[in-house]
Amino acid sequence: MDSVATFNRNIAKIESLQISFYERDVIRSAYYNHLNKIPIPREAIQILKKHGITFKYNEVILKDNAIETRKKQYKMSIKKKKHHTTLHTENDKNIYTRNLLKPSEANNIQSQTILQLLSKAKGIYDDSKTLLIQCREVLDICFTPNELSYSMIANIIIKTENNTTKSIQAMNDFLNPFLELFDRLHAKAQQEVLQQSSKFLQKLQGEKDISAELCIKLFAIRAKHTLKQEDNFIDYLKTTINKLDGYLDS
């Protein structure tokens, strides 16, 4: 199987993991490091160990036992939580005229403002990911792995990808607590939340701009290579045509 098919198969393995998108991105970045023989960050190593994942000979190896154990633990925790909630409901039934453990519908309303911010951040993040994927693909066309430029650009891609992932994770960590509370905050608090969100969005946009700039440069290099090959072929044709003059002179 060729390297592209191997790469796609292993990326599909990572994408299929039932974990947070942040951890999937960290694992994906670690896999890129493995492919390019770049040291894997300690944080990524911890996440790989947590999910029983190893890399070997460019392959992503999933330990089925570890995955099954996590699934069983998760199911047990859900089962215990449901049982605990049922007991509370039964015990409180005779005390309250309504179930106070269940939030009211009004309290469950999610702020459209926060949802729009999260959606906008996700859109910028997805664009950055797409640009960086294209950068990786064209990198292998423009340079060979033994060239210094190849390692330098691969490192830029990895760092930009890691920074982008951390930025959106930070924004999610900041905004999620306000998802249902934002509309009930006073105006000053709402303004502070929006100002902080703006900073996260600016950082994400800056990382997307870097990704776009790198992508443009790499595709320009590729186009230049294509034109150079075309120019060489045109020179070859001119030389060949000129040689035909010899038949006229004979």
Side-chain angles (χ1 to χ4, degrees), residues 3-241:
S3 59
V4 174
T6 300
F7 173 82
N8 290 337
R9 185 184 69 246
N10 284 287
I11 289 297
K13 285 184 185 179
I14 295 172
E15 293 296 340
S16 68
L17 294 172
Q18 298 300 309
I19 56 178
S20 70
F21 75 86
Y22 169 72
E23 289 185 325
R24 280 200 302 273
D25 282 342
V26 171
I27 293 170
R28 191 188 303 105
S29 295
Y31 178 55
Y32 291 147
N33 285 26
H34 170 72
L35 292 176
N36 293 290
K37 297 180 173 57
I38 297 172
I40 297 175
R42 182 179 301 176
E43 177 191 8
I45 292 174
Q46 292 174 347
I47 292 175
L48 289 170
K49 287 182 178 179
K50 173 184 174 183
H51 297 292
I53 299 170
T54 55
F55 303 136
K56 190 173 183 181
Y57 305 124
N58 297 343
E59 291 285 351
V60 175
I61 301 173
L62 308 178
K63 293 182 180 178
D64 293 334
N65 291 339
I67 295 173
E68 289 302 318
T69 299
R70 289 199 307 278
K71 286 182 178 178
K72 289 179 181 178
Q73 290 174 346
Y74 176 75
K75 288 179 180 178
M76 286 297 294
S77 66
I78 294 297
K79 188 176 180 180
K80 287 180 180 178
K81 186 176 180 181
K82 287 182 178 179
H83 179 65
H84 182 70
T85 303
T86 302
L87 286 177
H88 270 289
T89 304
E90 291 298 323
N91 292 337
D92 296 338
K93 190 185 295 181
N94 297 326
I95 301 174
Y96 301 107
T97 57
R98 61 191 178 90
N99 183 8
L100 297 180
L101 296 177
K102 182 179 179 180
S104 67
E105 291 184 3
N107 290 340
N108 274 334
I109 295 176
Q110 296 181 332
S111 167
Q112 290 301 311
T113 301
I114 300 300
L115 287 174
Q116 287 173 5
L117 287 170
L118 290 170
S119 177
K120 185 174 182 179
K122 185 64 165 54
I124 297 173
Y125 171 78
D126 288 342
D127 287 345
S128 297
K129 280 180 60 177
T130 300
L131 287 164
L132 291 172
I133 289 171
Q134 291 177 341
C135 285
R136 276 186 196 285
E137 292 175 351
V138 76
L139 175 61
D140 289 325
I141 297 173
C142 295
F143 304 99
T144 58
N146 60 342
E147 290 184 81
L148 180 60
S149 295
Y150 184 97
S151 300
M152 179 186 69
I153 296 171
N155 192 42
I156 291 173
I157 293 172
I158 291 169
K159 286 183 177 179
T160 304
E161 190 170 45
N162 288 340
N163 289 341
T164 303
T165 299
K166 288 178 181 178
S167 293
I168 194 170
Q169 182 64 36
M171 185 166 183
N172 275 278
D173 290 344
F174 174 72
L175 284 179
N176 278 330
F178 303 106
L179 190 55
E180 295 176 7
L181 293 172
F182 182 80
D183 293 335
R184 300 196 299 277
L185 296 177
H186 58 76
K188 184 178 179 182
Q190 289 183 348
Q191 190 62 32
E192 289 178 3
V193 171
L194 294 177
Q195 286 176 353
Q196 290 295 328
S197 300
S198 179
K199 293 178 182 179
F200 287 118
L201 285 173
Q202 287 176 9
K203 194 170 188 308
L204 275 168
Q205 184 62 48
E207 284 151 358
K208 175 184 171 181
D209 292 343
I210 290 173
S211 303
E213 185 177 350
L214 179 61
C215 195
I216 291 169
K217 294 291 185 186
L218 288 173
F219 275 96
I221 292 171
R222 178 187 179 184
K224 185 177 179 181
H225 285 175
T226 302
L227 288 176
K228 186 176 180 181
Q229 292 172 356
E230 183 68 18
D231 289 341
N232 290 339
F233 183 66
I234 291 174
D235 290 339
Y236 166 76
L237 290 178
K238 287 180 178 178
T239 301
T240 303
I241 291 171

